[in-house]
Amino acid sequence: MADDKDVLRDVWFGRIPACFTLSPEETTEREAEPYYLLLPRVSYLTLVTDKVKKHFLRVMKAEDSTEMWFEYEGTPLKWHYPIGVLFDLHASNTALPWNVTVHFKNFPERDLLHCSSNSVIEAHFMSCIKEADALKHKSQVINDMQKKDHKQLWMGLQNDKFDQFWAMNRKLMEYPTEEGGFRYIPFRIYQTTSDRPFIQKLFRPVSPEGHTLTLGDLLRELFPAAICAEDEPKRFQVMIHGIEPLLETPVQWLSEHLSHPGNFLHISIIPAPSD
C-alpha cells in the first residue's frame, strides 16, 4: 500500500458538528435542550450517540423511551450507512451544525433496520469487511486472520483508535505489485434521486490493456450523467468524505486511502447546487 498516512489520518479524524433536537412529537416531563456533538465521519450513528440518548432520556418517562432513531428534514437516517455518507447525501450543502431530529417512537419499519445493541453494528461492520475482501483478495486475507484480529478491527472503530485499527487494516490494503491493484474495487455509489439503495458492480482498477483506471472511468461506466463536457453546467457533485476528488484520481488510490473502515469506497452523487 502506498504510504500516505496523513491522508488516512485526515479521513479517520474527519468530524461533522451536529445539533440533536428531540422531535416535538415526543412526550417530555420538561423542555429538552438540544445536544451538540462532533460526529466521526467514518463511524455509525448508533455507535456514537449513547450520550445523546442519555441526555434526552433525562426528560422522558421510562415507558416512552423505546428504540432511538434519527431523521433529517423528514428523511429517516439509515444507521448502517457511515455518518459521512449520510451527511454528504442529505446535508452537504447546508449550514453547520447538522440539525438532526431524535425520535423514540413511531419507528419507521419500512425505512430503517433495527439496531438493538452494538453487536448488531459489529456484525454489519464485519460483513462489510468480509464482502470487501472477497472482492479484493478472494477472501484470502480476512480468512487468514484470527478471531482476535477481527476483534481488533472492530475495537479500533468502536473506540476511535486509529493506530489500533490500521495496524490490522493495512493487511487488507496490500496486493502483489505485479497485479497493480486489487482484484476488484469495493465501492458503492449512492444518490438521493433514486429508489435504489446504491449502485455496486464489479470494477477492476486496471484495464485489460494494463491502463490504470480512474474515478472518471468508473463514473462513465456507471453514472455517466455525473461527467459533463467543459461547456456544460455541472449537474452533479461527486462526493467522497465531503470532498470532490479529481476525476483523474486512480480508483486503486481512492480504495486504499479513502475507503471507510468497512473497506468500501462510498461515493455520494448529489445534484449540484444552483448558483
Side-chain angles (χ1 to χ4, degrees):
M1 172 178 176
D3 189 19
D4 217 334
K5 207 161 183 188
D6 287 346
V7 176
L8 303 181
R9 211 172 267 283
D10 288 346
V11 165
W12 182 274
F13 290 106
R15 297 290 186 264
I16 298 165
C19 172
F20 290 88
T21 311
L22 192 63
S23 165
E25 296 168 7
E26 303 295 335
T27 313
T28 59
E29 297 184 314
R30 61 184 187 278
E31 189 180 350
E33 294 287 327
Y35 191 86
Y36 292 86
L37 194 62
L38 279 174
L39 296 173
R41 274 185 159 272
V42 298
S43 194
Y44 300 98
L45 270 175
T46 43
L47 191 56
V48 294
T49 46
D50 277 352
K51 289 177 182 173
V52 176
K53 188 171 189 176
K54 283 176 186 155
H55 172 77
F56 289 119
L57 288 184
R58 287 190 196 119
V59 300
M60 297 180 67
K61 292 177 180 162
E63 62 267 23
D64 291 331
S65 60
T66 51
E67 187 172 350
M68 181 172 67
W69 58 279
F70 304 98
E71 161 247 307
Y72 172 70
E73 293 192 344
T75 301
L77 297 173
K78 300 180 190 299
W79 68 260
H80 62 291
Y81 286 11
I83 291 167
V85 174
L86 292 171
F87 180 80
D88 290 348
L89 210 49
H90 301 298
S92 56
N93 290 311
T94 57
L96 292 171
W98 185 21
N99 289 305
V100 177
T101 304
V102 178
H103 295 265
F104 285 94
K105 57 186 180 191
N106 303 325
F107 189 90
E109 304 280 351
R110 293 182 62 173
D111 297 305
L112 300 182
L113 301 174
H114 284 283
C115 182
S116 55
S117 69
N118 280 4
S119 61
V120 177
I121 312 169
E122 181 180 3
H124 167 71
F125 171 68
M126 288 312 303
S127 78
C128 286
I129 284 187
K130 288 173 182 175
E131 183 181 348
D133 199 54
L135 291 165
K136 290 197 284 192
H137 307 112
K138 299 186 182 175
S139 301
Q140 287 164 350
V141 180
I142 197 74
N143 289 345
D144 283 348
M145 286 182 179
Q146 297 177 10
K147 191 112 194 220
K148 67 178 176 60
D149 300 333
H150 294 181
K151 205 73 184 171
Q152 181 172 330
L153 289 164
W154 164 245
M155 295 304 286
L157 175 67
Q158 180 177 257
N159 300 327
D160 194 20
K161 301 290 188 195
F162 172 82
D163 291 320
Q164 180 183 5
F165 176 80
W166 270 100
M168 196 55 60
N169 195 59
R170 63 182 179 76
K171 297 178 183 177
L172 293 162
M173 292 295 174
E174 291 168 353
Y175 57 87
T177 312
E178 67 274 9
E179 289 180 16
F182 303 136
R183 191 162 145 263
Y184 297 106
I185 298 293
F187 73 91
R188 287 174 182 162
I189 294 176
Y190 304 81
Q191 52 199 20
T192 50
T193 52
S194 168
D195 291 334
R196 286 176 70 178
F198 47 76
I199 300 169
Q200 183 177 336
K201 284 182 81 172
L202 295 177
F203 189 86
R204 294 186 186 274
V206 179
S207 73
E209 298 77 36
H211 301 305
T212 299
L213 296 178
T214 65
L215 177 61
D217 295 323
L218 177 70
L219 293 170
R220 277 182 204 95
E221 184 172 321
L222 294 170
F223 201 94
I227 311 277
C228 59
E230 283 182 22
D231 55 345
E232 287 180 336
K234 189 160 99 169
R235 292 171 56 201
F236 294 98
Q237 285 180 294
V238 179
M239 311 281 284
I240 303 176
H241 289 292
I243 59 170
E244 293 183 74
L246 295 172
L247 295 180
E248 307 85 75
T249 312
V251 286
Q252 177 65 36
W253 189 93
L254 290 171
S255 186
E256 289 178 50
H257 296 89
L258 298 190
S259 287
H260 275 261
N263 274 240
F264 270 84
L265 187 63
H266 295 286
I267 303 166
S268 301
I269 298 184
I270 58 172
S274 48
D275 296 330

